[in-house]
Amino acid sequence: MSAISIGQAVILGVVEGVTEFLPVSSTGHLKITEGLMGIPVDDKSVVAFTAVIQVGAIAAVLVYFFKDIVRIVSAWGRGLRDPEERYHHDYKFAWWVIYATIPIVVVGLAAKPLIEGPLASLWVVAGSLIVGSGLMWAADRMGRHKRGEDDTSLRDAMLVGSSQILALLFPGFSRSGATMSTGLILDLERVAATRLSFFLGIPALTGAGLYELKDAVGAGVGAVPLLVGTLVSFVVAYASIAWLLRFVAKHSFNAFVAYRIAVGVLLFGLLGTGILQA
């Protein structure tokens, strides 16, 4: 028997697709949903399953930003061959994405037992949702929103990329929320901060999904539920990306902040009354 049924895989795929790139914590929402469906949130195969279906959401980013990615990768390839091409912003940006991924890879491998164990608790998710909301609220007001995507630097990429560690260690903090907030603190425009968050998430989330694939299948998750969850997350994530970019172009993050606080408080209540088990 698979640890996750096809029906549960569909639900988790929808949750992943909707929340992966919104600054509301996909991991937090997945753990809450798993808890409500009676799925053990700290089970090794379940943790691996959630990492693998993220690949579907990342595939949506690859498709949505295909032209941008081709442009950046092409510039990187030309720069490797021609020194004169190395002054091009796209060439440098490609290296920045690589450099900015190193911190989360190192921490992810070193802290894997904690991530899959004590830090997988729903109590951590509830607290991280609320604390992360405070960071988002402050960042949206601190930032001057004056720098565009072409103004980003290696420092920006490293700081934004390193902020992904917060979401890795504290599920509920939100990778998107942490990276977008850091971008805003660095005075990036909301759309520029959001796009940078997308690009930096590609190698980190893809690597995590591929790394966890063996644990998901080998530890009790069937191949069919895994495939279904990944496909559903791809379709839903594509629509979510398009909506988010339109939203942040005209709105602040206040709606996300209020939503996160409400979910965090509700989760504390469900845990405190015993309706959900941590």
Side-chain angles (χ1 to χ4, degrees), residues 21-68:
F21 301 112
L22 301 186
V24 297
S25 174
S26 62
T27 303
H29 279 73
L30 285 168
K31 289 186 180 299
I32 293 171
T33 305
E34 290 161 0
L36 291 173
M37 291 193 296
I39 300 172
V41 299
D42 59 348
D43 183 275
K44 184 178 181 180
S45 64
V46 175
V47 173
F49 174 87
T50 59
V52 172
I53 64 173
Q54 287 177 338
V55 175
I58 288 300
V61 173
L62 295 175
V63 173
Y64 193 91
F65 293 106
F66 181 75
K67 291 183 179 179
D68 295 297

Side-chain angles (χ1 to χ4, degrees), residues 139-148 183-191 193 252-253:
D140 210 11
R141 280 149 186 78
M142 289 171 57
R144 290 176 286 179
H145 315 294
K146 67 176 185 178
R147 300 173 58 211
L184 293 178
I185 292 173
L186 295 170
D187 295 328
L188 291 176
E189 299 169 346
R190 290 190 184 96
V191 173
S252 70
F253 287 151

Side-chain angles (χ1 to χ4, degrees), residues 164-189:
Q164 296 179 110
I165 295 172
L166 289 172
L168 181 68
L169 297 179
F170 305 105
F173 210 96
S174 170
R175 190 201 66 82
S176 297
T179 52
M180 291 178 193
S181 297
T182 303
L184 293 178
I185 292 173
L186 295 170
D187 295 328
L188 291 176
E189 299 169 346

Side-chain angles (χ1 to χ4, degrees), residues 95-118:
W95 277 114
W96 298 344
V97 170
I98 295 172
Y99 297 151
T101 303
I102 295 174
I104 192 173
V105 171
V106 173
V107 174
L109 293 175
K112 194 171 188 288
L114 287 175
I115 295 168
E116 295 181 349

Side-chain angles (χ1 to χ4, degrees), residues 75-88 91-92:
W76 184 69
R78 291 194 302 272
L80 292 178
R81 299 188 303 269
D82 185 355
E84 293 185 3
E85 293 288 338
R86 296 172 188 173
Y87 295 99
H88 197 286
Y91 170 81
K92 292 185 286 187

